[in-house]
Amino acid sequence: MSTATVATPTMTQTWQTLCSRADLVTRSGVAAWLASADTQVALLYLPGQTPEVYAVDNHDPFSNANVIARGIVGDIQGEPVIASPIYKQHFRLADGVCVEDENVRLRTWEVKIEGDDVMIRA
Amino acid sequence: MNVPTSPNATRLIVIGNGMVGHHLIEQLVALGAHRQYAITVFGEERHLAYDRVHLSEYFSGRDADSLALSNADYYAEHGIELRLHEAVTVIDRNAAEVVTDHARYPYDRLVLATGSYPFVPPIPGNEREKCLVYRTLDDLDAIRDAAADANTGVVVGGGLLGLEAANALRGLDLDTAVVEFAPRLMPMQVDAEGGALLREKIEALGVQVLTGRATQRIEDGETSFHRMVFQDDKVLETDLIVFSAGIRPRDQLARDCALEIGERGGIVIDDHCLTSDPAILAVGEVALWQESIFGLVAPGYQMAKAAAATLTEGDTTFSGADMSTKLKLLGVDVGAIGDAHGERTPGARTFRYLDEIKQEYRKLVVSSDAKKLLGAMLVGDNASYDTLMQYYANGLELPEDPASLILPSSDGAPTLGPDALPETATICSCHNVTKGDICTTLDAGALDLASVKGETKASTGCGGCAALLKSVVDHELEARGVEVDQSLCEHFAHTRQELYSIVRVEGIKTFSELIDKHGTSSGHDLGASSAPKLGSSSSPKLGCDICKPAVASILAACFNEPITDAAHVPLQDTNDTFMANMQKNGTYSVVPRIPGGEVTPEKLIVLGEVGKKYGLYTKITGGQRVDLFGAQLHQLPDIWGELIEAGFETGHAYGKATRTVKSCVGSTWCRYGVQDSVGMAIYLEERYKGLRSPHKLKFAVSGCTRECAEAQSKDVGVIATENGWNLYVCGNGGMRPRHGELFATDLDDAQLIRTIDRFLMFYIRTADRLQRTSVWRENLEGGLDYLKNVVLDDSLGLGDELEAQMQHIIDTYECEWANTLSDPEKLKRFRTFVNDDSPDPDIIVTEERGQLRPA
């Protein structure tokens, strides 16, 4: 089983447009291709919350399948999480840490919505 | 997987493989005695031990297999030699051998569990053809054969076994009469008033009852095969006679080898079940303990337990057994506790309550000071049996006005609180579990009902104590400070059933409205920290992967709006969201509905073509459909476009919903079929498709009793009879297989549909989340009888509502895939990447046996 590492911001990172707001699904997730990092990210959209959009790895380290975006978004004690649709582990959206096994975490990215654009810092 | 026994192991022979003989083997295995003894079991019948208590169900749909208490594998696994259809003819005590027609077998210890035989009164003509007895499966086969060209049948004997036999004859569609020598039915259990009421109820079922009749002779009839002539020269003509007038111990082997026998038969045993020869034990209905034969199964089991202890040097002894019984004969409740006739204690007083409208009779026998219950009698309603039994068995002091225990009250039968029971109170009499045993288990760490059942076996016999056991466990857990938390999850302090009621009563149609109005505040009040969290007012109330799908299922079962609507889609598990089954590599499998498993060649070709075009691994499912594996998210709409074009609909293989109705080919092709099982299966599948429930629902319809569709392993199983359909419910395959239980017999099409409508909706209303019907049924207080009352007799007055609710689901059905394909907004979700048309680069496949599978 692979353990994803935390992305550390470097000087090369810039804000870039990933997709449009209309591509997002309210209180749920979609996957997007992040060409600059040659990887896929899960975008979780929680309108009305702060922040209103999160980006984490779409790759599920437990099943090795790219499925995180297709999990159920919820909260544990008020902390937003997503449950993997395969073996149901929960990952905190804020930092990607797995609730069931804190040694495992998804990478996270800064995202924001400007107008109709969903921007990611990568 | 034979269990090794050393070559010089002690040889134990058990003669008899009835209910008690088999229970003895189970007790020995539980004690590990099968490793100490080389055990050989002889059974005279062809069949392995079976449930004689429910024998009459043999004619209402159950077969020998479903009545069996065990299987040959069980014996083989434990290294026990089982010799069926081999009768022991002689016990040679000098040589310490038993003799059969095949061989002589040496023993070190011997157990006689030969049971009893039916008593046939010495009436001239009793050996005529079509004069039969009612005791074994072979007897029942003989009765069935004789009934083939008979219209009428008479049972001689109006006791417990006689009424059971009468039930069996009714099951064969014979006009049935019962002839009893005593002035009333069940003279052992009920008094004159109770007997009169019982008679009325049984006659109302169309069974003729003749009491106070001594048959003088049986001779050729004029209009029927037999004519029975009674003491007053009155006659009764009938085609078939069954004697069921009591039992006698089968003690001939013991007599022949000069073991001590009681005056009126029975092998004399002591508290250790030892006979006059200390190498030989006897158990069950052949054994005579303190001049008593015990003709019920529970005392037999207690003897088996004592005998097993004797053989393993344990302490358990047999110290007599209570003969109190709770029965349902021909659908009529009869209960007798202790000294029900009030004739064993001088000065005993009685209370009696008779309701001729509702046809209920209850009687209490109390001590002269009205403080203790000595006995009780119930006809027509056994609801108060459990409570009365506790007063009786534990010598509890009666309430000030004992009559309150049998008088009708607006709150139903009075119950005895679990705290009022002493530690010694027997909760489960089948497995002899006391309240003290339950407390010990809880103290040792058991935290719920299921583990108490597992540890003590309580309530796993007849199940009659289920409600009492639950109340004792709940009460004791509470007393230990264990909060029995029924909350669904941290977001709702409600059970699924409570949420279901809230949704229906308040008409709440979305998850957000439900969590806003009824959710716990941000989940914090169930948290570990009691300190208020800064900014908690803005904490999200999102729900979680437990409550969201559970509420989605409730909303679907109530209102049936498309699950793909924007308000509902975030609630669904991924399989429901994308209406396909996610596999381990993140791809999906697709299962179109094939109602009843019937498919035209044209449609089958389309499935093949779609599989080929999209490179899908193709496999036939257990539910008579075709599963196409390996589709990526973005391929699903194209695949479904082609399938819908060809006339397919979604199959809900992804949902906690109606899956399939499996069927055999039925009377249209099969030479044994008696009804059109395929037609019924298709009808049921079309009717219930799209129905969402606490867990998946599987159905099957078999066209005859051969049961090729395996309906008894389904949530709803239908088996054709010559007169209609037998309905089985709450069966399960999978990890914990469970035989479906016979719920109703010989239903016509309309009755069948109405019964299934009500059953399913009642399950959907009351089950826990992810609880299959089998587990729901096992946890249902009141068990199968209660379920029958609710569904068949409409005891809660819910019938119309349940049917209307089902009709709403049926009327609002829509194929979810067709709905999605017509809505560009919904289709947007079906993209592997929202910003790129490429497939997922990490999905790698390899070829195996000519098809693709994940690498």
Side-chain angles (χ1 to χ4, degrees), chain A residues 22 29 33 66 73 75 77 90, chain B residues 490 543 548 828-829 835 842:
Chain A
W33 181 250
N66 300 319
V73 177
D75 76 270
Q77 307 291 313
H90 300 85
Chain B
E490 66 174 75
K548 286 171 118 185
K828 275 169 56 181
R829 286 217 75 179
N835 59 348
D842 293 339

Side-chain angles (χ1 to χ4, degrees), chain B residues 65-136:
Chain B
D65 279 348
S66 84
L67 287 166
L69 296 175
S70 181
N71 55 54
D73 290 346
Y74 173 83
Y75 282 75
E77 269 169 32
H78 295 98
I80 297 165
E81 190 178 356
L82 179 62
R83 306 191 73 90
L84 293 177
H85 213 189
E86 183 171 350
V88 172
T89 51
V90 173
I91 298 169
D92 182 343
R93 287 170 59 195
N94 292 326
E97 288 177 337
V98 302
V99 184
T100 74
D101 286 344
H102 298 293
R104 300 175 70 90
Y105 302 87
Y107 67 82
D108 298 300
R109 301 301 294 272
L110 177 64
V111 182
L112 290 162
T114 47
S116 57
Y117 65 90
F119 168 66
V120 177
I123 301 166
N126 66 11
E127 287 180 347
R128 289 164 55 86
E129 194 190 333
K130 300 194 180 188
C131 282
L132 302 160
V133 294
Y134 177 86
R135 181 72 185 161
T136 66

Side-chain angles (χ1 to χ4, degrees), chain B residues 540-555:
Chain B
K541 274 163 94 174
L542 299 174
C544 64
D545 52 322
I546 293 172
C547 58
K548 286 171 118 185
V551 171
S553 163
I554 291 172
L555 293 172

Side-chain angles (χ1 to χ4, degrees), chain B residues 550-572:
Chain B
V551 171
S553 163
I554 291 172
L555 293 172
C558 289
F559 309 114
N560 212 21
E561 293 176 349
I563 60 163
T564 46
D565 283 1
H568 305 313
V569 81
L571 312 179
Q572 315 293 335

Side-chain angles (χ1 to χ4, degrees), chain B residues 416-653:
Chain B
L416 195 57
D419 50 334
L421 298 173
E423 295 282 297
T424 52
T426 301
I427 305 300
C428 169
S429 47
C430 292
H431 292 281
N432 199 19
V433 181
T434 63
K435 182 180 166 188
D437 295 335
I438 291 165
C439 294
T440 310
T441 313
L442 294 173
D443 290 338
L447 281 176
D448 56 24
L449 184 61
S451 28
V452 171
K453 277 185 171 180
E455 287 289 316
T456 63
K457 293 205 158 206
S459 195
T460 60
C462 72
C465 63
L468 181 62
L469 177 69
K470 183 174 186 306
S471 73
V472 168
V473 170
D474 284 352
H475 177 266
E476 290 300 319
L477 280 175
E478 212 168 293
R480 283 162 177 71
V482 179
E483 195 177 320
V484 186
D485 187 357
Q486 310 273 17
S487 302
L488 185 65
C489 66
E490 66 174 75
H491 302 99
F492 290 99
H494 306 82
T495 62
R496 179 191 173 278
Q497 297 91 313
E498 288 163 352
L499 286 179
Y500 183 94
S501 305
I502 290 171
V503 164
R504 274 190 73 76
V505 171
E506 301 185 18
I508 294 177
K509 290 196 158 183
T510 63
F511 180 82
S512 351
E513 188 184 348
L514 186 67
I515 198 166
D516 281 346
K517 287 190 179 162
H518 297 280
T520 56
S521 57
S522 308
H524 288 153
D525 45 0
L526 286 166
S529 162
S530 58
K533 190 173 166 182
L534 283 178
S536 65
S537 60
S538 68
S539 285
K541 274 163 94 174
L542 299 174
C544 64
D545 52 322
I546 293 172
C547 58
K548 286 171 118 185
V551 171
S553 163
I554 291 172
L555 293 172
C558 289
F559 309 114
N560 212 21
E561 293 176 349
I563 60 163
T564 46
D565 283 1
H568 305 313
V569 81
L571 312 179
Q572 315 293 335
D573 273 316
T574 191
N575 286 359
D576 274 308
T577 309
F578 299 105
M579 297 171 291
N581 291 43
M582 183 182 271
Q583 302 300 324
K584 65 178 190 179
N585 63 352
T587 64
Y588 290 92
S589 84
V590 171
V591 189
R593 188 167 295 288
I594 301 181
E598 184 186 83
V599 61
T600 61
E602 288 75 17
K603 284 176 116 176
L604 203 50
I605 287 167
V606 171
L607 292 178
E609 282 172 346
V610 168
K612 200 165 155 186
K613 177 169 171 186
Y614 294 91
L616 305 174
Y617 169 88
T618 305
K619 191 173 186 308
I620 307 294
T621 74
Q624 303 185 331
R625 326 202 258 194
V626 178
D627 205 342
L628 305 164
F629 289 78
Q632 288 201 35
L633 192 52
H634 60 272
Q635 295 179 304
L636 291 172
D638 294 340
I639 290 171
W640 271 104
E642 296 191 26
L643 291 172
I644 284 173
E645 177 71 31
F648 284 104
E649 290 183 313
T650 190
H652 297 93

